[in-house]
Amino acid sequence: MISELTDKDCVALLGSTTVGRLGFVLAGRVLVIPVNYVLDGDDIVIRTAPDGLLSGLTTSRETVAFEVDHHDDLGGSGWSVLLNGPVTEMTAEEVDAVPGTHRARPWAGGDRSLALRLHPEMMSGRRVQRDRR
């Protein structure tokens, strides 16, 4: 059985984990990159390398996708949350105002001093539960 999630449910699930996938188009190809993130209200905050693959997202003005999910193979259940929206570069002051931003360390390591904010223009989510018959 599949059920739609409310925006409130989606935000609660986004706050329950710290790794998601950022999808975007670059040079005519769809890329999906795993990223660490912090939730700030409904927004996603990502720290990346200033000269890395994601740094160009702020100038492209393209909408990106962000997805987080979880599944329980044994229990036959799972959920998925999908956001779409633009990415903007954050100032140091904006980063300092986000609780937990400095505690959340990107797994990739290295210089991840560029902070990006994805402000969702669209949010959707689904929960699935296998029929127990």
Side-chain angles (χ1 to χ4, degrees):
M1 181 170 114
I2 297 176
S3 59
E4 299 291 321
L5 298 172
T6 66
D7 285 357
K8 183 178 177 182
D9 292 335
C10 289
V11 172
L13 290 169
L14 287 168
S16 72
T17 188
T18 60
V19 177
R21 286 168 291 286
L22 192 63
F24 56 98
V25 176
L26 180 66
R29 297 181 65 181
V30 175
L31 299 177
V32 179
I33 308 293
V35 294
N36 296 98
Y37 72 94
V38 172
L39 188 63
D40 182 29
D42 293 351
D43 293 355
I44 301 297
V45 176
I46 299 164
R47 295 177 69 120
T48 191
D51 60 349
L53 190 60
L54 303 180
S55 65
L57 294 177
T58 61
T59 57
S60 70
R61 303 228 185 259
E62 295 291 325
T63 296
V64 302
F66 183 80
E67 193 268 345
V68 176
D69 61 30
H70 174 77
H71 66 277
D72 175 357
D73 289 335
L74 295 176
S77 65
W79 56 264
S80 176
V81 174
L82 177 65
L83 310 175
N84 293 106
V87 173
T88 57
E89 185 173 343
M90 297 174 68
T91 66
E93 293 79 20
E94 289 171 326
V95 172
D96 288 341
V98 177
T101 304
H102 295 290
R103 285 192 322 268
R105 298 189 54 162
W107 294 358
D111 177 12
R112 304 287 169 194
S113 58
L114 176 63
L116 304 177
R117 176 183 298 277
L118 186 158
H119 179 72
E121 294 176 339
M122 188 281 302
M123 181 182 308
S124 64
R126 302 169 112 192
R127 187 178 304 274
V128 63
Q129 178 66 54
R130 177 177 54 217
D131 189 359
R132 299 224 181 252
R133 288 188 244 165

